[in-house]
Amino acid sequence: MSLRWNRREVLQGLLAASTAIIVPKGEGAQDVAPIPVEQVEIQITPISAFTFRLSILPVNRGCVAKIVTDGSLVKNSWSAPVTKLRAGSKEVISVGDLRFKISAHPVSIRIANDHGDVIQQFDWDENTGVLSFLSGSAPLLALGEGGAQFDRRGSKDSMRSGQSAYKLATHGGRVPIPWIISTSGWGIFFHQPYGTFDFTGEQGRFQTANPGAALDFFLVASPDPATIMAEYARITGFAEMPPLWSLGYQQSHRTLASREEVLFEAKTFREKKLPCDALIYLGTGFCPSGWNTENGSFSWNSQVFSNPKEMLDELHRDHFHAVVHAVILSDRLRGTVHDSCDLTRFDEESASCYWDAHRKDFAMGIDGWWPDEGDPLDIPSRLARNRMYWEGPRMDRPNERPYALHRNGYAGMQRYASFLWSGDVYSTWETLKTHVPIALNTALSGIPYWGTDIGGFVPTSEFTAELYLRWFQFGAFCPLFRCHGRTWKLRLPWGWNTGDPGPVEIRNYDGAAIPDSSQLRDTRVEPICRKYLELRYRMLPYLYSAVRECAMTGMPIMRALWLHFPDDLKAVACSDQYLWGKSVLVAPVVEKGATTRRVYLPRGAWYDFWTRERHEGGREISRPVDLETIPLYVREGSIVPMGPVKQYTGEKVNEPLSVWIYPGADGSFLLYEDDGTSFDHRKGEWMGIQMSWDNKRRTLSLQLVAGSRMREPRTRTITVDLSGVTRSVIFEGRPVEVSFQA
């Protein structure tokens, strides 16, 4: 092993003592020294009608402390503060519909609406640096990926990041984001400094990691969940659009024996007609034989990729995208890829120098990157890494959307279209069950492109064909649809009927086990996987439109029911099901041997996706399930576009777009389409079809969205399906109606 690999091991061992992302020991005030400041200045700055920046700034010798930036905010300032108060001052100000009652000593900020209802109150203890705030009786959500789920009330959170932070086996890696949402109608983003949370008392408590620093946080106040999500995006950024292929199925590999095995797996997908867009290759170091020579290396393993350019070209001819694993060996990363770099004195902590090491492989035809590890990185370094994998590829392919699947990140990572996966979880039923609420809190934290290692990374005695299929079904309704893990051949859709689990890579994992041999000849698995692969690709028009909505509004793709049913207490508290976009309710089966699944349907009518049976909402129902069924329901008034089955996202299939109507209420849907690869949509090269369903008239209207244009083919045949009755229409960009009147 190289000295750099030894250094990597040292860095892993020092994780517990790493930098600003890991908070100091102790969560209580007794561990914190008094703040050595003369006084503080309170500043209130309006960001919008709903969002306000509140800053408590130490003043020493007449100088007001500066707010440290970490890269999470879209910009460092918005406008001038509407008030500045120091010790001995009190003030009541009105900003829009809100009234702020402010005291500078002791520091207290009370916010009420124009009816006098208190929305939030902040009290700051100058001796300990603890900021107390009203936590209320409603569920508290978000706070990033991982940690205690679903409602954060009753928990203490040290906000420690990484794989060793909190119950890795079941909860996965922790990516803490200090953004907390109350379903009663507010959200707070704690910008600076970093700190810990305590929700065990009557009030929430935020303990800063650096009590002497400027305290800077943002309050969003609105009864509308969509507004809260949009305002958080206003602060930390809206998500960028990823390439369309990244929303297809991604197959990850571990130990590869040879060139022949690499190409065989690719050919098998096409021969079996199992849809797939990306093949992901692990690096040598975590397995005996990967794409490169060792972790951190950008040199190809000649035993596996004997001629990398030739093999990548062959994968591309079969319409696969190739993604490779990359490990950062430094515990810092600074700057951007556009900074200067002296290549004669390589600086691995410089983003420009570090990215340069990628470029030769990228030029060969690599399509995406899998940036692994990075737990010791502090917040600015994490965001510098997210940014590097967004801006670096565009240096050489300026009009191609990059793809990177990260283990780590922070608030603002969505600005770089960063995907995130939940880390090295175990193959257990408890893990699958826990990951449904984890998905929702991650999405509410502004990270839309998320997924898991389908099947769980570490195999256990619970890893069976049944668990794999239930996880696969859940993965089909996550933005990242990707299988990965040890005994990696069981992550292949056909792997459970070969008798070969793949190389045994258990090693030093408590509870790890090789799946029982009785499970390895199960003919049911492949056709069920095919069913959900084909469904995922058929639903791409719906999914891609939801991704566009996310990029424009901040509304996530996987949606907690609270986002659409804030007045339904059961829906607000629901953590085991979610909306996929705005219309499709997904209820993953997470219990071993389940024959039924209890599903809560919010108010209104809902249709069973599989049977089209209509159910009245506002109640819980019991849905029978067999091994191949995940309960899906579509609410009345929904318009769901469905494309043809494809083997890869870019395949040209000469079949019409289907539009499924679920009657019972008026509804609308904006179908979004662009080339799926470039940034030309920023220049107006996109098509939007506004679809509107008039339930009384039983008529669907289609209209081209202003500012968009028809794409090839400029004449579209669309089949409209209403409860099994179909009509066909030719859409050429002019308004048209499809009537189902008798």
Side-chain angles (χ1 to χ4, degrees):
M1 294 185 179
S2 71
L3 291 175
R4 294 184 62 162
W5 171 236
N6 290 333
R7 184 182 179 210
R8 176 76 253 161
E9 293 177 320
V10 171
L11 290 176
Q12 289 176 316
L14 292 176
L15 175 60
S18 71
T19 53
I21 197 75
I22 308 298
V23 301
K25 291 183 178 179
E27 299 175 27
Q30 68 274 11
D31 297 319
V32 181
I35 301 174
V37 296
E38 299 169 0
Q39 61 174 327
V40 296
E41 179 174 284
I42 301 173
Q43 297 183 2
I44 309 293
T45 305
I47 307 300
S48 73
F50 309 99
T51 302
F52 302 85
R53 185 176 199 170
L54 297 87
S55 306
I56 303 173
L57 309 177
V59 180
N60 281 303
R61 298 179 181 178
C63 295
V64 180
K66 301 296 184 182
I67 299 170
V68 177
T69 60
D70 58 16
S72 60
L73 301 181
V74 170
K75 54 186 180 179
N76 294 328
S77 62
W78 277 262
S79 60
V82 293
T83 187
K84 297 180 180 181
L85 270 74
R86 294 192 183 183
S89 302
K90 293 184 179 181
E91 188 175 27
V92 176
I93 62 172
S94 294
V95 184
D97 296 332
L98 299 182
R99 287 169 60 83
F100 291 76
K101 183 178 181 180
I102 310 164
S103 169
H105 187 75
V107 173
S108 177
I109 307 172
R110 184 180 184 184
I111 303 102
N113 60 24
D114 54 5
H115 299 293
D117 302 321
V118 176
I119 296 172
Q120 189 53 263
Q121 178 166 329
F122 300 99
D123 295 291
W124 181 69
D125 188 326
E126 64 182 29
N127 293 315
T128 64
V130 170
L131 183 74
S132 299
F133 56 95
L134 303 179
S135 53
S137 58
L140 298 176
L141 308 178
L143 278 190
E145 177 191 66
Q149 298 295 321
F150 164 61
D151 183 352
R152 307 289 189 172
R153 288 178 300 169
S155 69
K156 290 184 178 182
D157 197 327
S158 65
M159 299 296 281
R160 179 176 175 178
S161 185
Q163 294 243 117
S164 62
Y166 183 90
K167 297 184 180 180
L168 173 63
T170 53
H171 290 62
R174 183 79 170 100
V175 178
I177 294 178
W179 161 244
I180 186 72
I181 297 171
S182 170
T183 58
S184 65
W186 54 261
I188 308 170
F189 177 61
F190 295 84
H191 172 226
Q192 285 290 353
Y194 202 71
T196 65
F197 290 92
D198 184 343
F199 299 114
T200 60
E202 294 182 359
Q203 289 187 314
R205 289 165 55 89
F206 175 70
Q207 171 70 71
T208 65
N210 184 2
L215 179 58
D216 187 51
F217 53 101
F218 295 76
L219 171 69
V220 179
S222 173
D224 176 29
T227 297
I228 292 176
M229 297 307 300
E231 291 298 299
Y232 178 70
R234 180 195 294 270
I235 299 167
T236 63
F238 290 89
E240 280 282 0
M241 294 281 289
L244 177 61
W245 65 261
S246 66
L247 301 172
Y249 177 65
Q250 301 184 35
Q251 180 64 61
S252 188
H253 300 74
R254 286 189 62 83
T255 294
L256 296 165
S258 64
R259 174 186 188 278
E260 288 68 33
E261 184 172 43
V262 172
L263 298 177
F264 171 78
E265 302 298 345
K267 298 292 185 184
T268 303
F269 271 101
R270 297 298 180 238
E271 290 170 359
K272 287 179 171 288
K273 294 192 177 299
L274 292 164
C276 182
D277 262 86
L279 300 176
I280 307 177
Y281 301 107
L282 186 67
T284 302
F286 285 109
C287 63
S289 178
W291 78 273
N292 58 6
T293 54
E294 62 179 337
N295 276 340
S297 170
F298 293 92
S299 298
W300 293 82
N301 179 353
S302 60
Q303 293 182 341
V304 176
F305 286 85
S306 54
N307 186 327
K309 180 67 167 64
E310 178 185 274
M311 292 179 68
L312 290 171
D313 288 346
E314 185 161 354
L315 292 174
H316 290 157
R317 284 193 292 273
D318 283 337
H319 305 284
F320 288 103
H321 294 83
V323 179
V324 296
H325 180 264
V327 171
I328 189 167
L329 299 179
S330 172
D331 57 1
R332 290 288 189 279
L333 193 66
R334 67 180 187 279
T336 76
V337 297
H338 303 294
D339 297 336
S340 61
C341 173
D342 182 356
L343 296 180
T344 64
R345 295 189 300 172
F346 180 77
D347 181 357
E348 64 181 1
E349 295 186 3
S350 165
S352 60
C353 291
Y354 183 47
W355 176 253
D356 191 77
H358 297 66
R359 295 180 73 178
K360 182 178 179 181
D361 297 323
F362 192 57
M364 286 186 185
I366 292 297
D367 300 291
W369 302 90
W370 177 12
D372 198 354
E373 299 220 334
D375 286 356
L377 296 171
D378 61 15
I379 290 170
S381 296
R382 288 170 183 240
L383 289 174
R385 194 184 190 203
N386 292 142
R387 182 177 180 177
M388 182 190 76
Y389 280 101
W390 177 248
E391 294 182 346
R394 294 165 61 190
M395 295 177 68
D396 298 306
R397 305 177 197 172
N399 200 28
E400 181 178 305
R401 294 179 221 168
Y403 170 74
L405 172 59
H406 292 266
R407 171 175 279 177
N408 287 295
Y410 192 66
M413 64 186 292
Q414 68 275 8
R415 302 198 301 268
Y416 312 117
S418 297
F419 278 69
L420 179 72
W421 97 99
S422 66
D424 296 348
V425 298
Y426 279 52
S427 303
T428 68
W429 288 97
E430 182 63 24
T431 304
L432 175 58
K433 181 178 181 180
T434 303
H435 269 60
V436 180
I438 286 173
L440 303 186
N441 272 329
T442 304
L444 290 170
S445 302
I447 303 173
Y449 310 130
W450 178 91
T452 70
D453 287 346
I454 290 176
F457 176 75
V458 179
T460 74
S461 58
E462 295 185 40
F463 191 34
T464 61
E466 180 191 7
L467 177 60
Y468 170 78
L469 284 171
R470 293 306 191 193
W471 211 314
F472 197 92
Q473 292 162 0
F474 170 56
F477 291 93
C478 293
L480 174 68
F481 187 16
R482 164 188 178 259
C483 281
H484 177 65
R486 297 182 184 275
T487 57
W488 76 266
K489 291 194 175 182
L490 296 180
R491 318 307 164 134
L492 297 165
W494 62 87
W496 288 88
N497 194 29
T498 64
D500 179 12
V504 176
E505 302 176 83
I506 300 300
R507 292 198 327 234
N508 301 327
Y509 284 96
D510 292 336
I514 303 171
D516 190 276
S517 60
S518 64
Q519 290 285 313
L520 304 184
R521 292 290 183 184
D522 195 325
T523 59
R524 301 172 298 172
V525 176
E526 184 179 330
I528 295 176
C529 287
R530 176 178 287 105
K531 174 179 177 177
Y532 285 91
L533 286 167
E534 292 182 349
L535 178 60
R536 170 70 168 222
Y537 280 72
R538 288 209 64 195
M539 293 190 76
L540 278 173
Y542 176 84
L543 172 57
Y544 198 53
S545 299
V547 169
R548 173 65 170 181
E549 182 185 2
C550 173
M552 298 299 292
T553 70
M555 281 289 275
I557 302 159
M558 300 178 79
R559 302 180 183 180
L561 298 187
W562 163 71
L563 287 168
H564 288 276
F565 303 97
D567 299 326
D568 184 331
L569 295 181
K570 288 187 176 180
V572 169
C574 188
S575 65
D576 64 349
Q577 55 189 63
Y578 56 92
L579 288 169
W580 181 239
K582 69 176 184 178
S583 299
V584 180
L585 187 149
V586 182
V589 179
V590 296
E591 302 290 343
K592 181 180 179 180
T595 57
T596 60
R597 170 60 153 95
R598 301 294 296 177
V599 181
Y600 180 71
L601 300 176
R603 65 179 181 273
W606 295 80
Y607 291 85
D608 188 307
F609 178 85
W610 304 109
T611 67
R612 299 214 179 184
E613 181 182 0
R614 190 174 186 272
H615 299 268
E616 288 299 324
R619 64 193 180 102
E620 189 176 71
I621 65 171
S622 180
R623 209 291 186 186
V625 293
D626 54 23
L627 187 59
E628 69 174 76
T629 304
I630 179 175
L632 303 173
Y633 290 87
V634 187
R635 57 175 167 170
E636 62 180 351
S638 293
I639 301 170
V640 179
M642 300 282 284
V645 173
K646 295 184 176 183
Q647 297 307 303
Y648 51 93
T649 55
E651 185 178 20
K652 304 299 181 183
V653 178
N654 189 25
E655 292 184 22
L657 176 76
S658 295
V659 175
W660 294 6
I661 306 295
Y662 294 85
D666 293 345
S668 64
F669 187 86
L670 196 162
L671 175 69
Y672 175 82
E673 185 180 307
D674 59 27
D675 62 21
T677 61
S678 77
F679 292 95
D680 289 349
H681 60 284
R682 295 177 175 177
K683 305 173 185 177
E685 294 295 332
W686 61 279
M687 181 182 73
I689 301 177
Q690 184 63 57
M691 303 180 177
S692 301
W693 170 249
D694 186 322
N695 194 64
K696 184 176 181 179
R697 295 177 57 227
R698 295 174 67 81
T699 299
L700 178 71
S701 302
L702 306 177
Q703 184 173 348
L704 192 66
V705 175
S708 74
R709 62 191 70 182
M710 290 294 291
R711 299 185 66 252
E712 295 294 341
R714 298 188 181 277
T715 298
R716 302 293 179 97
T717 300
I718 299 175
T719 299
V720 184
D721 185 309
L722 177 69
S723 304
V725 178
T726 61
R727 301 275 193 274
S728 290
V729 63
I730 304 297
F731 184 72
E732 298 176 308
R734 294 183 295 274
V736 64
E737 290 189 344
V738 183
S739 177
F740 287 86
Q741 290 180 336

